[in-house]
Amino acid sequence: MSAPLQDKTVLVVGRGSGIARAVVEAARAAGARVVAAGRDLAALQEGYRGTDVTAKAVDLTDEDSIAALAADLGGVDHVVSTASARARGTVGELTPEAITLSFRTKVVGPIMLAKHFAPRMPADGSFVLFSGVAALEPDPGFLAVAATNGSVNTVTRSLAVELAPIRVNAISPGTIDTGAWDALGAEKKAELFGRLSAANPSRRIGTPQDVAQAVVFALTNTFMTGVSLAVDGGQPLV
Ligand SMILES: NC(=O)c1ccc[n+]([C@@H]2O[C@H](COP(=O)([O-])OP(=O)(O)OC[C@H]3O[C@@H](n4cnc5c(N)ncnc54)[C@H](OP(=O)(O)O)[C@@H]3O)[C@@H](O)[C@H]2O)c1
């Protein structure tokens, strides 16, 4: 049996580590040619040195940069967007600028990816966007994160209808140890991870590989579209 993504090209937008890197590695293991694109081209080139991953520059807040990448690549089979600029903070702390940047990165950027890549993709191509558990779990300090993730869920369903038969799905991770929580400081991060691990039904924090496995599933299951697939250890259930 051939690998499920054999002869397919997958574009993965994001950083060279965390979930994006696990997705790159899982897509390669599934047989895909992979293009990794992000704002820091030098870091991506360095991170993927010695591999067959092609690194490209793109800024999801800049439509011209997305159009240029689409023209440069000339077409891909699948597009995965992991890019995010979280606007954490309580209502009193949030600024319009931070909220807007978050929406431009996680909601508008993927819509522009669809605008410029979908016309160059085959009918059996697909998009995977990134949502997150905050959309389902109102929590002080995560209002803007919840709003952007909720929008991603809605955009996913709308794009699935508009771009059909190209499929569009989202992955909604729970708490995943990718470095994204390091800004809390070691002590607060350990306290948060301990509390969440004790409470959630999976009794652990997620790994980038847990999420990447779901991305490959979304890329290869040809009867799934318009879905936001939770990979969250059951966190919103408790
Ligand atoms: N980690 C979690 O617990 C968790 C939970 C729920 C949802 N998620 C979602 O899962 C996805 C991946 O999460 P992660 O923790 O691995 O990574 P992350 O820390 O959210 O990193 C996302 C990366 O996106 C890139 N980015 C930001 N603005 C961009 C732009 N304008 N254009 C292109 N790239 C841009 C940045 O890479 P550079 O700094 O290299 O530019 C940034 O490091 C995100 O969408 C995140 O919201 C994660």
Side-chain angles (χ1 to χ4, degrees):
M1 203 172 89
S2 67
L5 290 172
Q6 193 71 46
D7 300 325
K8 304 294 184 190
T9 302
V10 178
L11 168 65
V12 181
V13 179
R15 56 178 160 118
S17 53
I19 288 170
R21 184 160 195 116
V23 171
V24 166
E25 287 168 1
R28 287 174 72 215
R33 287 180 294 269
V34 180
V35 179
R39 293 180 303 185
D40 190 343
L41 178 59
L44 286 177
Q45 284 170 331
E46 180 58 29
Y48 290 113
R49 186 197 297 275
T51 74
D52 56 2
V53 175
T54 305
K56 293 282 179 183
V58 74
D59 178 347
L60 286 203
T61 64
D62 175 0
E63 184 182 1
D64 290 345
S65 137
I66 295 170
L69 179 65
D72 177 16
L73 295 178
V76 298
D77 295 285
H78 300 282
V79 175
V80 180
S81 180
T82 73
S84 135
R86 287 180 191 82
R88 286 190 189 133
T90 56
V91 181
E93 293 160 345
L94 286 169
T95 63
E97 292 76 18
I99 299 169
T100 303
L101 179 62
S102 186
F103 270 89
R104 288 182 65 203
T105 306
K106 207 164 175 176
V107 181
V108 181
I111 295 172
M112 293 301 107
L113 283 170
K115 178 177 175 181
H116 292 282
F117 277 88
R120 301 165 186 268
M121 285 164 63
D124 63 353
S126 80
F127 287 85
V128 173
L129 312 185
F130 265 80
S131 175
V133 70
L136 305 174
E137 263 192 336
D139 199 13
F142 289 87
L143 181 157
V145 179
T148 48
N149 287 335
S151 294
V152 173
N153 293 340
T154 300
V155 165
T156 297
R157 289 163 56 82
S158 294
L159 283 177
V161 171
E162 186 167 334
L163 301 184
I166 290 173
R167 296 177 303 107
V168 184
N169 293 294
I171 303 297
S172 179
T175 307
I176 312 292
D177 193 4
T178 63
W181 298 95
D182 293 357
L184 292 177
E187 200 176 320
K188 279 192 176 163
K189 179 179 157 180
E191 186 276 320
L192 176 73
F193 279 16
R195 186 161 41 82
L196 291 175
S197 299
N200 84 36
S202 295
R203 298 287 189 268
R204 67 175 176 87
I205 294 301
T207 66
Q209 289 71 29
D210 292 325
V211 178
Q213 192 180 30
V215 172
V216 172
F217 175 72
L219 295 178
T220 54
N221 187 311
T222 59
F223 203 49
M224 188 172 92
T225 192
V227 166
S228 292
L229 188 58
V231 185
D232 59 14
Q235 189 174 319
L237 301 176
V238 290

